[in-house]
Amino acid sequence: MTDSECLFCKIAAGKINADVIYESDDVVAFRDINPQAPTHVLVIPKRHISTINDLKKSDSGIVGEMYIAAKEIARQEDIADDGYRAVMNCNAAAGQTVFHIHLHVLGGRQLTWPPG
Ligand code: AMP
Ligand code: ZN
């Protein structure tokens, strides 16, 4: 898939609407269209990366930024102290359906472990 066909590249470029709640130079975060918890936000890099498997050493900064964004979002959403989960799915066995990496930030209810 080219970047121009990628759903999350289109959201990052503002070509498809999303409920954006956080943005920096390199990442953007928006509410999941099918939320699995009272807070369910996706943090994505603006630059296309398909899966965790495609990460290079030089991408360590962007992954760090995604977690800094998750921390800021948790504070904004008032779930930081109670607790939340920040996870990425990789490929089919983990249920990845959009092949542009995204950090799920989930909170606002008691989350179970292990996940399904
Ligand atoms: P994953 O299964 O880890 O690839 O997660 C993809 C997530 O993207 C799912 O939770 C979907 O509900 C969400 N999603 C798909 N399309 C959109 C969209 N247009 N806006 C917001 N979230 C979306
Ligand atoms: Zn993309």
Side-chain angles (χ1 to χ4, degrees):
M1 180 186 293
T2 64
D3 297 8
S4 63
E5 292 167 323
C6 169
L7 173 65
F8 285 179
C9 281
K10 287 180 184 166
I11 287 177
K15 290 178 185 155
I16 288 182
N17 278 336
D19 187 0
V20 173
I21 64 161
Y22 178 97
E23 187 165 6
S24 73
D25 285 348
D26 301 319
V27 307
V28 60
F30 51 91
R31 294 195 191 280
D32 196 293
I33 206 166
N34 182 24
Q36 301 301 310
T39 291
H40 188 176
V41 173
L42 303 176
V43 183
I44 66 169
K46 290 183 175 175
R47 179 165 58 80
H48 184 85
I49 301 169
S50 297
T51 78
I52 296 175
N53 290 341
D54 300 298
L55 287 171
K56 301 183 181 75
K57 188 86 174 166
S58 57
D59 294 322
S60 56
I62 194 70
V63 175
E65 265 214 54
M66 290 168 75
Y67 272 94
I68 296 296
K71 180 199 79 165
E72 282 300 320
I73 290 159
R75 191 182 53 76
Q76 283 178 27
E77 296 282 307
D78 203 22
I79 57 173
D81 289 342
D82 282 349
Y84 59 98
R85 192 167 291 159
V87 290
M88 281 197 248
N89 297 324
C90 182
N91 276 344
Q96 185 176 5
T97 58
V98 178
F99 288 84
H100 176 132
I101 59 167
H102 46 281
L103 191 57
H104 292 262
V105 181
L106 295 143
R109 66 170 171 85
Q110 185 65 42
L111 301 169
T112 57
W113 192 264

